[in-house]
Amino acid sequence: MRQIAVLPYRTVGPAIDAPIQILLITSRSSRRWVIPKGGLMKGMAPHAAASQEAEEEAGVLGATCPVPLGSYRYRKQRNSGASVWADVDVYPFAVTDELSTWDEQHQRERRWFSLEEAARAVDEEDLRALIRSFGAREFRAAASPARLFGAAVDSVASKTGVNAMFAWFQKLLPEQGNFFDLFEKQAATLVAGADALARLAQGGPGRAQHIREIAEREHDADDITREVLQTVRRSFLTPFDRSAITDLINTMDDAIDEMQQTANAVDLYEVTEFEPEMIDMTAIIVDAARLTAEAIPLLRKIGDNGHRLHELTERLVRMEGHADEIHAAGLKRLFKADLKEPMHFFVRQEMFKRLERVVDRFEDLANEIDGLVIDHS
């Protein structure tokens, strides 16, 4: 049998390397730690059904990415005593709100775990692997500056992926600038902007605050972009080709610009309710920003991390294709429903276009990163 589930997560703090926590719940009978899951629901998309399970079983609301993270298999015990194999598709679920009361609160316990603690708490090996890979700490560790080999030479080599002999030569030349730090700061603005956009799409009283937060993150991104462009001009040596650096930072800036344009359209047209497909697209944007935040630190040691970077960019491209399908389905549904309300259709069409542009920028970013991998791996 096939089931669906969510992996509810949150980050602790705004930093790009902030720890990720996973929310687990206890099963009703055996009281073991599991993730919210259930069966497919007729007339409901799999990720939407998984989101409903999260609300009923764990009492959390959030953005469910329509593209599954992966799957795992376990033995499900039936009421008759028989057991069957169940394959479970797992969807990333960025938690934005924890309810104080929910349907199954007296039947289950919920608790936040670190990634490693969550992986140890669950029984299924495949689920453990999914949880451990979600934050990809091993890749972040590989991307951190080396602490051995005399420090100075190895630091240069770790930033560029070149061999130690060429690193000696580079060390004699002027500084390369703090490009990697700036790239990571820019990725952090994307994560913060995407989270605010998802909260905006879910509605509620914080509408003006979410719009303002996106605008503030866009201003931060402009400052970072400006600093990168200035650093490129005054640096003798750069870790990548100058045009690749400017293309990368500008593409990241374009993504947050499009988020602000979307928020501006919400404000201009006084949109208070988002279509289901729009909410799905914002969930894709949240997960795309999370993947970007994982990918960018890996550029510090691009030679070692080429395979993982390719995996991340491939997922970003798949997500963009899925967003296109959601966009088309949403417009088609609205067109049929709003034949007598052309203005309503026009506003929704504009919102869909804005959201699609945000996702497109993440695909552009994936292509920029892939280009760096090809050139430097």
Side-chain angles (χ1 to χ4, degrees):
M1 63 181 300
R2 181 160 293 278
Q3 293 186 308
I4 40 82
V6 295
L7 186 66
Y9 72 93
R10 68 182 181 186
T11 54
V12 184
I16 191 171
D17 59 348
I20 292 177
Q21 292 184 332
I22 302 296
L23 184 71
L24 298 181
I25 58 174
T26 54
S27 63
R28 282 182 291 195
S29 55
S30 64
R31 310 301 294 177
R32 62 191 181 89
W33 290 108
V34 296
I35 58 177
K37 65 180 182 296
L40 294 168
M41 301 180 189
K42 188 174 181 180
M44 187 177 292
H47 71 281
S51 181
Q52 184 167 316
E53 295 291 347
E55 182 177 352
E56 293 175 357
E57 295 185 357
V60 287
L61 305 176
T64 311
C65 181
V67 183
L69 176 68
S71 63
Y72 72 96
R73 173 173 287 193
Y74 79 106
R75 278 279 189 183
K76 179 176 176 59
Q77 198 77 21
R78 292 189 177 276
N79 294 333
S80 62
S83 64
V84 295
W85 282 110
D87 291 312
V88 187
D89 292 328
V90 181
Y91 295 86
F93 183 87
V95 175
T96 57
D97 193 19
E98 295 181 54
L99 304 176
S100 56
T101 60
W102 65 98
D103 289 357
E104 300 184 14
Q105 69 178 113
H106 300 301
Q107 304 173 43
R108 304 176 187 271
E109 179 186 351
R110 69 180 181 188
R111 185 189 303 173
W112 287 102
F113 293 81
S114 70
L115 276 173
E116 186 55 38
E117 288 171 344
R120 289 199 301 264
V122 300
D123 291 341
E124 299 81 9
E125 286 296 331
D126 290 346
L127 180 56
R128 287 178 183 172
L130 274 179
I131 292 173
R132 286 197 172 104
S133 69
F134 188 73
R137 286 190 171 184
E138 64 275 21
F139 295 104
R140 285 180 181 155
S144 64
R147 296 182 295 273
L148 304 173
F149 194 62
V153 171
D154 200 37
S155 176
V156 174
S158 71
K159 289 182 178 180
T160 60
V162 300
N163 61 42
M165 183 173 291
F166 187 62
W168 277 108
F169 173 71
Q170 286 186 304
K171 187 60 184 173
L172 299 175
L173 296 173
E175 285 294 319
Q176 298 184 67
N178 58 335
F179 292 107
F180 295 113
D181 292 339
L182 293 171
F183 291 155
E184 291 169 17
K185 286 182 180 178
Q186 193 77 314
T189 67
L190 295 180
V191 172
D195 287 345
L197 185 62
R199 292 194 297 272
L200 178 62
Q202 289 174 2
R207 179 173 171 274
Q209 178 184 342
H210 302 326
I211 293 173
R212 183 169 59 252
E213 183 178 352
I214 295 169
E216 290 172 355
R217 299 294 77 77
E218 193 275 336
H219 293 325
D220 292 341
D222 284 344
D223 292 340
I224 296 168
T225 301
R226 191 177 304 109
E227 187 174 352
V228 169
L229 297 180
Q230 291 172 351
T231 305
V232 165
R233 294 189 185 97
R234 62 173 178 255
S235 298
F236 183 79
L237 263 187
T238 56
F240 308 128
D241 182 80
R242 295 172 189 274
S243 63
I245 290 174
T246 57
D247 288 347
L248 179 65
I249 200 67
N250 282 326
T251 303
M252 295 171 75
D253 188 46
D254 289 344
I256 191 70
D257 284 346
E258 294 293 352
M259 291 184 206
Q260 187 188 26
Q261 291 299 320
T262 303
N264 289 345
V266 171
D267 193 27
L268 175 64
Y269 299 119
E270 299 182 347
V271 177
T272 56
E273 293 184 3
F274 281 63
E275 301 297 327
E277 296 87 355
M278 295 178 190
I279 296 174
D280 288 346
M281 292 178 75
T282 61
I284 286 178
I285 291 167
V286 169
D287 208 42
R290 178 186 66 82
L291 293 176
T292 299
E294 180 184 341
I296 293 300
L298 303 184
L299 296 178
R300 290 181 180 269
K301 294 183 70 174
I302 195 169
D304 294 339
N305 297 319
H307 179 71
R308 179 58 177 172
L309 283 165
H310 180 68
E311 289 179 345
L312 294 173
T313 56
E314 189 178 60
R315 179 170 170 82
L316 284 169
V317 171
R318 287 202 310 271
M319 290 164 66
E320 191 278 336
H322 198 78
D324 283 346
E325 295 173 2
I326 294 172
H327 176 205
L331 278 181
K332 185 175 182 179
R333 181 181 62 79
L334 282 174
F335 179 75
K336 291 181 177 179
D338 293 341
L339 290 176
K340 297 181 179 179
E341 296 184 56
M343 186 54 66
H344 183 270
F345 176 76
F346 168 79
V347 171
R348 266 42 186 186
Q349 182 185 41
E350 180 69 13
M351 292 303 305
F352 270 119
K353 181 174 70 174
R354 295 294 180 185
L355 290 168
E356 183 188 30
R357 286 179 177 175
V358 179
V359 182
D360 286 346
R361 297 296 79 76
F362 279 104
E363 183 188 27
D364 294 342
L365 181 57
N367 292 333
E368 293 292 341
I369 294 172
D370 253 348
L372 289 172
V373 172
I374 292 170
D375 291 342
H376 295 273
S377 290

